[in-house]
Amino acid sequence: MNLLEKIDSPADVRKLSYSQLTPLAHELRSYLLDSVSKTGGHLSSNLGTVELTVALHYVFNTPHDRIVWDVGHQTYSHKILTGRRDRMHTLRQLNGISGFPKRDESEYDTFGTAHSSTSISAALGMAQAAKIKGEHRHAIAVIGDGSMTAGMAFEALNNAGVQEDVNLLVILNDNDMSISPPVGALNRYLARLMSGQFYAAAKNVGKSVLPGPVLELAKKLEEHAKGMVVPATMFEEFGFNYIGPIDGHDLDSLIPTLQNIKQLKGPQFLHVVTKKGQGYKLAEAEPILYHGTGKFNPEEGIKPAAAPSKKTYTEVFGDWLCDMAAADNKLVGITPAMREGSGMVRFDQEYPDRYFDVGIAEQHSVTFGAGLACEGLKPVVAIYSTFLQRGYDQLIHDVALQNLDVTFALDRAGLVGADGATHAGNYDMAYLRCIPNMVVMAASDENECRQMLTTGYHYNGPAAIRYPRGAGVGAAIAKELTSIEIGKGEIKRTGQKIAILAFGSMVAPAVAAGETLNATVANMRFVKPLDVELVKQLAADHDYFVTVEEGCIMGGAGAAVAEALAAAGIAKPMLMLGLPDKFIDHGDPAKLLASVGLDAAGITASIKQRYAGDEPRLVVNNA
């Protein structure tokens, strides 16, 4: 720590001698490993970018020069070097520093990221702004090979390449690995796209049908296209000056190259090759295991966790997917590069011909599913709630408008804890229920999740089943693949005066609040179609209405209940509880829910505050 403890900003890095940079990188890597092992977080990706981070801050005048980190889960070294070393012990914790770049956390975090493939667009905007304002500064986008599979990255390249006089540098951090295995690695992507068989077939067609001059042109195009297998040619066709590939762990290569690039004008593309987990043998050997970690002993590595007493909803989905695939050979599973996160590892192993990881391409995953449905197959798109936002137009235009039979398994619905606002699934109930033909369900326990997945799968049209991150409530899970009646809720507890209409993960705390308040509690199950008859029944038998959801209040499930009451001409005192109109930061999930009044105590307190002064007074147990 002799060098690192003296670094409070990149200006301190730039004061070091060239010979001190490699020792600094070694200290930084050791500090990273020690720090993340105590807090948990993204490890493999950060170990892989230590030297690149040191080199960028040494060569460029940050924060005057802008660095945009794609996704941003590789920025721990960047945070340490930019004055946040002493706060790393708070990483991803309530009121601590974020695991991703945040503009309001540091002036060195020039652009907030966490979803992939946005960096080139943002950096190009910054570079163009500098040109318009007459400021001399560089804009650097650091993007991984997994993120390069997304269309947005190529849209940005296409736009940037024609802007010859902007100071834009795109750095491709090629580690042949995204979160899941390398379906998105750039070299394999290009090899598939430009396969030899494709060109052989094109040549044969040309010989048989093309006239002489056109055939000659086709031959030239063929030779040119074959050259696109080499990344240099491809990126140069976009208008970039391609440099590389170079060793991303060799400062003697990185620093002179970056210094030379700094003197060049126009769009530059630097290809660096790194290794995830670099410098920590266990992470090098198993980069997926060490991608996102909990706390662990670095000397021992991550130990197999004891089998939890409760299954996670992700595991419930993974088991259901395999069981349904065994029952119906038309089932096809799709994931946008989240095999592990969505619980599809076993499905991939048991049904490889029906498993499709399309890379970081959410828009494509939705429309790919639509195409499969057109041909009579039964696609199941496993996708995080926050990532379905990226395929929203496709959901409306390509699936719902044509009423195609696609099932969406929405993991990470609601607050997600340490990943924070960028990954929270707070909006799906609001953005899904307004779409015609959609069925939207919210699971309250593990068995209900399995039933809802079956219900959505058998529904002849688009259906979404939302479920939270983490373990369920411990409900027994039936082996049978049974459905529930669409649009029908159930009464979980019968009480007086107050009716609490709860959705999904809020059923359990609502029942606990109902015990205290002697309230009736309904598990509404369906956000769309809403059980209007149950709503009317509860309105007839109760004086006060409360809706509870782990989603945004504005436009959410509570709003659906209010709309149903209004349509029926029923006026009823109503309290809507849910996530407020603000972005909620990272932290322990239970603490976050409590902070917005969505635990049992918070629900109880909100109801008491709203209605306890009304006549007739509420009957409150133990109050």
Side-chain angles (χ1 to χ4, degrees):
M1 282 287 292
N2 292 335
L3 290 171
L4 188 58
E5 65 186 11
K6 301 175 183 177
I7 304 298
D8 294 317
S9 73
D12 295 326
V13 177
R14 293 189 283 271
K15 293 175 183 176
L16 297 178
S17 66
Y18 190 87
S19 62
Q20 291 176 302
L21 297 180
T22 296
L24 173 65
H26 291 327
E27 289 184 23
L28 183 53
R29 181 169 278 109
S30 296
Y31 187 86
L32 256 178
L33 179 58
D34 180 68
S35 177
V36 176
S37 70
K38 293 175 180 175
T39 62
H42 294 99
L43 182 61
S44 297
S45 54
N46 281 289
L47 292 175
T49 55
V50 170
E51 287 81 8
L52 179 59
T53 304
V54 170
L56 284 170
H57 283 299
Y58 184 75
V59 172
F60 290 97
N61 183 27
T62 54
H64 177 76
D65 292 326
R66 317 299 198 206
I67 303 176
V68 181
W69 301 89
D70 207 281
V71 182
H73 60 340
Q74 76 281 49
T75 54
Y76 296 0
S77 293
H78 164 80
K79 288 176 181 281
I80 292 168
L81 295 179
T82 54
R84 286 166 278 183
R85 183 182 70 250
D86 293 340
R87 296 189 64 202
M88 286 297 290
H89 69 282
T90 71
L91 183 73
R92 293 158 45 96
Q93 298 167 42
L94 190 64
N95 300 320
I97 62 174
S98 171
F100 301 98
K102 288 187 66 177
R103 281 174 54 83
D104 61 2
E105 186 177 292
S106 170
E107 64 178 332
Y108 294 92
D109 292 359
T110 61
F111 196 77
T113 53
H115 291 188
S116 83
S117 314
T118 61
S119 60
I120 304 176
S121 298
L124 176 60
M126 294 173 181
Q128 190 59 252
K131 175 187 171 185
I132 293 170
K133 293 160 65 178
E135 298 171 349
H136 181 76
R137 69 173 85 244
H138 293 269
I140 302 109
V142 183
I143 184 168
D145 52 296
S147 295
M148 286 297 296
T149 63
M152 186 174 178
F154 285 91
E155 292 173 16
L157 289 173
N158 184 58
N159 185 217
V162 297
Q163 302 184 39
E164 299 177 356
D165 52 351
V166 293
N167 288 327
L168 174 68
L169 168 60
V170 175
I171 298 177
L172 172 61
N173 176 29
D174 184 358
N175 55 36
D176 202 37
M177 182 71 71
S178 51
I179 296 173
S180 291
V183 299
L186 186 63
N187 56 337
R188 299 186 185 191
Y189 167 72
L190 288 169
R192 287 198 305 271
L193 191 65
M194 302 299 174
S195 64
Q197 292 86 340
F198 172 85
Y199 289 109
K203 179 184 283 187
N204 290 335
V205 170
K207 287 180 179 178
S208 61
V209 302
L210 297 179
V214 180
L215 176 59
E216 197 62 32
L217 175 61
K219 287 181 178 179
K220 291 181 179 179
L221 287 173
E222 176 197 350
E223 292 169 0
H224 176 70
K226 281 183 178 178
M228 288 182 71
V229 176
V230 179
T233 309
M234 176 183 175
F235 294 115
E236 286 173 355
E237 288 296 326
F238 274 108
F240 282 77
N241 176 41
Y242 175 91
I243 301 117
I246 66 172
D247 184 349
H249 300 298
D250 181 8
L251 288 170
D252 289 333
S253 295
L254 278 171
I255 289 176
T257 301
L258 289 171
Q259 288 173 332
N260 289 338
I261 290 173
K262 190 176 179 181
Q263 307 306 315
L264 301 176
K265 300 294 184 183
Q268 308 295 320
F269 193 101
L270 174 62
H271 185 172
V272 302
V273 177
T274 61
K275 186 176 184 64
K276 269 198 170 184
Q278 173 74 11
Y280 182 49
K281 296 300 182 183
L282 295 175
E284 290 180 17
E286 296 187 86
I288 296 175
L289 177 63
Y290 286 86
H291 170 75
T293 75
K295 300 176 183 179
F296 69 100
N297 184 337
E299 295 182 2
E300 298 177 357
I302 297 174
K303 299 298 182 183
S309 58
K310 302 174 184 178
K311 278 199 169 187
T312 67
Y313 283 98
T314 301
E315 291 171 331
V316 171
F317 166 73
D319 291 342
W320 171 86
L321 191 65
C322 291
D323 293 344
M324 186 58 77
D328 186 355
N329 60 15
K330 291 184 178 180
L331 183 148
V332 176
I334 302 167
T335 176
M338 296 302 294
R339 184 187 72 164
E340 286 76 17
S342 291
M344 298 181 74
V345 173
R346 184 161 73 90
F347 179 77
D348 176 22
Q349 294 167 347
E350 296 182 9
Y351 300 95
D353 294 339
R354 290 193 267 161
Y355 166 79
F356 294 93
D357 184 340
V358 301
I360 304 177
E362 292 85 1
Q363 293 174 299
H364 166 63
S365 72
V366 175
T367 304
F368 175 54
L372 290 165
C374 285
E375 299 301 320
L377 296 180
K378 300 274 289 182
V380 176
V381 180
I383 189 168
Y384 290 9
S385 169
T386 186
F387 294 145
L388 184 57
Q389 295 165 186
R390 310 188 91 194
Y392 192 57
D393 179 62
Q394 289 69 27
L395 176 64
I396 296 174
H397 183 274
D398 299 339
V399 175
L401 183 62
Q402 303 182 89
N403 200 26
L404 293 175
D405 191 2
V406 182
T407 303
F408 295 90
L410 300 191
D411 204 332
R412 272 64 166 179
L415 299 178
V416 293
D419 281 338
T422 56
H423 283 61
N426 297 355
Y427 311 108
D428 54 82
M429 288 188 283
Y431 74 64
L432 288 174
R433 76 176 191 87
C434 61
I435 303 174
N437 296 328
M438 286 292 305
V439 167
V440 185
M441 294 168 263
S444 65
D445 63 38
E446 302 94 313
N447 191 55
E448 190 170 75
C449 183
R450 183 176 173 89
Q451 291 176 317
M452 287 180 171
L453 288 163
T454 304
T455 303
Y457 184 79
H458 289 310
Y459 170 68
N460 187 25
I465 302 89
R466 78 184 312 257
Y467 46 91
R469 181 176 190 171
V473 298
I477 303 172
K479 293 183 179 180
E480 296 78 17
L481 293 166
T482 57
S483 298
I484 57 179
E485 186 178 353
I486 289 179
K488 292 297 178 183
E490 62 174 358
I491 300 295
K492 299 291 286 187
R493 185 190 188 281
T494 300
Q496 297 178 343
K497 298 187 182 298
I498 307 169
I500 304 176
L501 289 71
F503 294 83
S505 60
M506 290 293 100
V507 170
V511 169
E515 292 291 334
T516 301
L517 298 167
N518 190 27
T520 294
V521 180
N523 171 17
M524 296 304 295
R525 287 179 165 170
F526 289 85
V527 180
K528 184 179 184 180
L530 189 71
D531 190 342
V532 177
E533 291 306 313
L534 179 57
V535 172
K536 291 179 179 178
Q537 174 193 326
L538 293 169
D541 298 339
H542 298 80
D543 298 323
Y544 308 99
F545 257 39
V546 180
T547 61
V548 192
E549 60 193 298
E550 191 178 348
C552 62
I553 297 173
M554 297 179 71
V561 173
E563 291 164 9
L565 290 171
I570 300 172
K572 187 68 60 175
M574 186 171 174
L575 170 64
M576 295 184 196
L577 300 178
L579 298 177
D581 185 27
K582 66 177 183 179
F583 294 110
I584 298 171
D585 254 337
H586 48 273
D588 176 78
K591 292 180 180 179
L592 292 177
L593 286 171
S595 73
V596 292
L598 291 182
D599 58 350
I603 294 169
T604 302
S606 294
I607 294 173
K608 284 183 180 181
Q609 181 180 4
R610 177 67 175 270
Y611 293 134
D614 289 2
E615 294 294 340
R617 289 191 173 274
L618 303 181
V619 177
V620 179
N621 292 344
N622 303 318

